[in-house]
Amino acid sequence: QTGFFCSAPRWKIIEGGRIEPIDESTMQAAALLAEKIGAPVFPMEQKGVLRTNCIDCLDRTNVAQFSAGVDALGQQLVVMGIRSSAKLDPSSNIVRMLIDMYVKIG
């Protein structure tokens, strides 16, 4: 359960990179922060779907889907508090890991 697209994330990443369940005090703090900054913090829901039709060849279709995946990953990392910018360097380790995942699933 990643919390990326569920209505109420159940886990948080704490200092040192450990993952632990979100408790009631965290939810209250998130609500206060959301009120101060005027933007939702928790809960979050997926608001849309990205669909790609087959372009003229499978390679171009895969490139389009991968590009969208990199953008989505950048946004997710910002929301999780791991990064402050959604822009990912194409040569970064995280993008390379995403490439490896795409290769493994075909």
Side-chain angles (χ1 to χ4, degrees), residues 70 83 87-99:
V70 170
R83 294 184 47 87
K87 179 79 172 142
L88 296 176
D89 181 352
S91 62
S92 66
N93 286 336
I94 191 75
V95 172
R96 288 182 188 170
M97 288 175 67
L98 186 63
I99 290 170

Side-chain angles (χ1 to χ4, degrees), residues 62-105:
N62 290 343
V63 168
Q65 291 175 340
F66 175 75
S67 297
V70 170
D71 287 345
L73 176 60
Q75 292 294 327
Q76 291 167 345
L77 294 173
V78 169
V79 168
M80 293 173 63
I82 295 172
R83 294 184 47 87
S84 59
S85 168
K87 179 79 172 142
L88 296 176
D89 181 352
S91 62
S92 66
N93 286 336
I94 191 75
V95 172
R96 288 182 188 170
M97 288 175 67
L98 186 63
I99 290 170
D100 290 344
M101 289 171 49
Y102 271 73
V103 168
K104 286 179 183 176
I105 63 172

Side-chain angles (χ1 to χ4, degrees), residues 50 52-53 55 58-69 102:
L50 174 68
T52 55
N53 288 327
I55 304 175
L58 188 57
D59 288 340
R60 279 189 263 272
T61 302
N62 290 343
V63 168
Q65 291 175 340
F66 175 75
S67 297
Y102 271 73

Side-chain angles (χ1 to χ4, degrees), residues 16-28:
R18 292 193 334 258
I19 299 173
E20 67 180 32
I22 292 178
D23 55 13
E24 186 60 34
S25 65
T26 301
M27 291 300 282
Q28 290 173 352

